[in-house]
Amino acid sequence: MTLTDGDIDRVIEMAWEDRTTFEAIAFQFGLKEQEVIELMRREMKPSSFKMWRARVQGRKTKHEKLRTFDEGRFKCSRQKQITHNKISKR
């Protein structure tokens, strides 16, 4: 699968978001967790990649099965609506 520059930017943005799961990225872009990690390593500066890996490693919110809440989704009242996102339109 070939990703456009816009797709790559969106994957990076989603990967940085605490509550966006790797499963959501896989659903929208077809990338497995390891492929997201490889993309982040390739597209980011080494220091930024290390900071991101330290953030997401072991984070329960990045995996649907590890989340503690079952119903609904948390959305901050100040969070902007994301356009062109298949997930938000479900």
Side-chain angles (χ1 to χ4, degrees):
M1 174 182 199
T2 304
L3 297 174
T4 65
D5 289 342
D7 290 343
I8 291 171
D9 288 345
R10 184 65 189 125
V11 169
I12 291 170
E13 184 180 0
M14 290 174 77
W16 268 104
E17 294 168 349
D18 289 339
R19 293 201 172 259
T20 302
T21 63
F22 286 115
E23 290 85 358
I25 296 170
F27 175 80
Q28 187 166 350
F29 296 99
L31 297 175
K32 296 177 184 170
E33 180 180 355
Q34 187 58 43
E35 293 170 316
V36 172
I37 293 168
E38 291 167 6
L39 181 139
M40 297 292 276
R41 180 179 281 126
R42 183 178 66 242
E43 298 293 328
M44 299 174 73
K45 294 186 293 185
S47 60
S48 297
F49 174 75
K50 287 178 187 175
M51 186 177 3
W52 174 75
R53 280 301 285 156
R55 266 178 71 93
V56 300
Q57 214 156 20
R59 185 174 288 264
K60 290 182 180 183
T61 56
K62 292 304 281 184
H63 298 278
E64 285 181 3
K65 290 181 181 178
L66 298 177
R67 288 180 167 209
T68 56
F69 58 88
D70 295 325
E71 291 184 24
R73 293 175 166 256
F74 171 79
K75 181 175 178 183
C76 177
S77 61
R78 297 179 307 274
Q79 183 177 349
K80 66 179 182 177
Q81 178 65 30
I82 300 170
T83 56
H84 308 301
N85 187 341
K86 294 179 191 174
I87 302 298
S88 65
K89 293 178 174 55
R90 281 201 271 175

